[in-house]
Amino acid sequence: MTADPPVHRIEFDIPWPPDTAYAYLLDADELILVDAGAPGETATDTLREGLAEAGYELSDIEHLLITHPHTDHGGQVATIVEAADPVVYTLSGVRKRLTRDPDDLAAAVRRNAVEVGIPDPKKEVDRAVDSLRRNRNCLPPEHIDIELAPGETVEAGGLTFEAIHVPGHQENQAAFRHGDRLFAGDTAVEPFRPAALHVGLDDGCREAIDAFHRGLDALEAVAPAIDCVYPGHGPVFEDLPTVVERDRESLETLATDCRRTLADLGGGDGLRGDRRPHREPRKTTVHALRVSRRARTTGTAG
């Protein structure tokens, strides 16, 4: 088998902008799927059709790499495991995130929401607990076979992948590198910068922007060696350095907006003067989350 097997792209409809998400089928010695699309029966049919177009069935999948535990990337994991029982790979920390105690999560989100003065903390709590439930239903933590440390390599289907930790959009997100190819999940998307959701309003929310910069640092380190990026949304593209720089500029704009908002409210900015704000105050973070959430619902960069 060639070191660079054919890659088949499977498109799933999702009910929010940008309206589609993608999984990638690698026709290697043993069949590999990167990400598992959206949840639901319609998405199952989409997956079966995509596999059939490449000459395969659901039961042929032997390796399943999940970039991060959001429903539009892990939506069909349980279905695939039931049909094929592949080896399932994630970045380290995903199992811990999915087994988060809902009561502890609710308490943390409520505390953070009250601290920053969100008018309806219960709405934020309900959203966070429901998101945990949906993510866990799509990607049951007991189905995860191998958690990879940042920078760790693994052989799957005769191919070697490196797990690159790219937090910011999601705390435990990985981009999987095989040679000059990068399966990027929601860390490098050509049309827009992914939302800086990170952990939502859970403890650690103040790290979102800084974490996103760390993810961009990791991408920047490998960018010279990457010829093709396979993202979770948007087109396949080649110019990773330009996308990384665009996202840095977008984060700087977001931080500037946060400073302006705090100044209007009569508070200090709490941000360092350089381009990598560190541990910004919770009010700043919540404003950033609101901007990112609006971006997710409008399909803009935020």
Side-chain angles (χ1 to χ4, degrees):
M1 172 65 67
T2 176
D4 293 310
V7 177
H8 307 275
R9 180 166 145 112
I10 303 176
E11 178 179 301
F12 296 84
D13 293 329
I14 56 175
W16 59 81
D19 303 322
T20 54
Y22 295 95
Y24 296 94
L25 188 69
L26 282 71
D27 194 358
D29 291 340
E30 298 172 340
L31 197 63
I32 302 166
L33 185 66
V34 180
D35 279 341
E41 293 182 5
T42 298
T44 301
D45 292 340
T46 297
L47 178 58
R48 291 184 184 278
E49 291 166 3
L51 287 162
E53 289 177 4
Y56 294 102
E57 298 179 352
L58 199 58
S59 59
D60 293 324
I61 298 171
E62 298 196 50
H63 300 273
L64 178 56
L65 283 64
I66 300 297
T67 60
H68 62 293
H70 284 170
T71 58
D72 53 336
H73 296 266
Q76 295 295 313
V77 171
T79 299
I80 295 168
V81 169
E82 182 178 359
D85 195 25
V87 181
V88 179
Y89 309 80
T90 69
L91 193 72
S92 58
V94 171
R95 188 183 290 112
K96 182 179 179 180
R97 169 59 55 184
L98 291 172
T99 55
R100 181 90 157 90
D101 182 83
D103 291 337
D104 289 346
L105 173 63
V109 171
R110 184 180 300 108
R111 181 175 61 250
N112 293 331
V114 169
E115 182 175 339
V116 301
I118 289 179
D120 188 359
K122 184 178 183 301
K123 183 177 180 180
E124 297 297 329
V125 169
D126 290 346
R127 178 186 287 118
V129 172
D130 180 64
S131 177
L132 173 62
R133 177 189 60 79
R134 289 185 290 108
N135 291 336
R136 187 158 55 197
N137 286 344
C138 290
L139 175 53
E142 62 271 19
H143 288 345
I144 299 171
D145 297 300
I146 297 176
E147 284 195 316
L148 300 168
E152 185 176 354
T153 60
V154 65
E155 184 174 309
L159 305 180
T160 299
F161 292 90
E162 177 188 1
I164 302 171
H165 187 203
V166 282
H169 175 72
Q170 199 280 328
E171 180 185 26
N172 312 110
Q173 181 171 221
F176 293 106
R177 177 188 176 187
H178 166 62
D180 59 4
R181 300 178 176 189
L182 186 71
F183 297 88
D186 284 1
T187 187
V189 176
E190 189 179 46
F192 58 89
R193 174 182 60 76
L197 303 175
H198 199 49
V199 296
L201 275 172
D202 196 1
D203 289 337
C205 60
R206 69 177 68 184
E207 304 288 344
I209 294 177
D210 192 55
F212 212 123
H213 274 297
R214 293 197 302 272
L216 293 176
D217 289 343
L219 292 180
E220 190 171 59
V222 300
I226 300 300
D227 289 339
C228 192
V229 179
Y230 299 88
H233 306 280
V236 175
F237 65 96
E238 298 177 355
D239 191 357
L240 180 58
T242 294
V243 169
V244 169
E245 184 58 29
R246 187 275 317 277
D247 286 356
R248 286 201 192 280
E249 293 174 357
S250 174
L251 287 175
E252 291 167 14
T253 299
L254 179 60
T256 298
D257 288 345
C258 292
R259 292 188 182 98
R260 185 179 299 115
T261 297
L262 285 178
D264 290 345
L265 293 172
D269 64 29
L271 298 175
R272 296 170 61 182
D274 65 318
R275 60 191 275 165
R276 297 167 189 259
H278 182 65
R279 301 182 69 86
E280 70 268 26
R282 293 181 191 271
K283 287 185 178 180
T284 305
T285 301
V286 171
H287 177 69
L289 288 168
R290 285 171 173 165
V291 172
S292 293
R293 191 169 290 143
R294 286 200 301 270
R296 189 167 184 172
T297 58
T298 61
T300 59

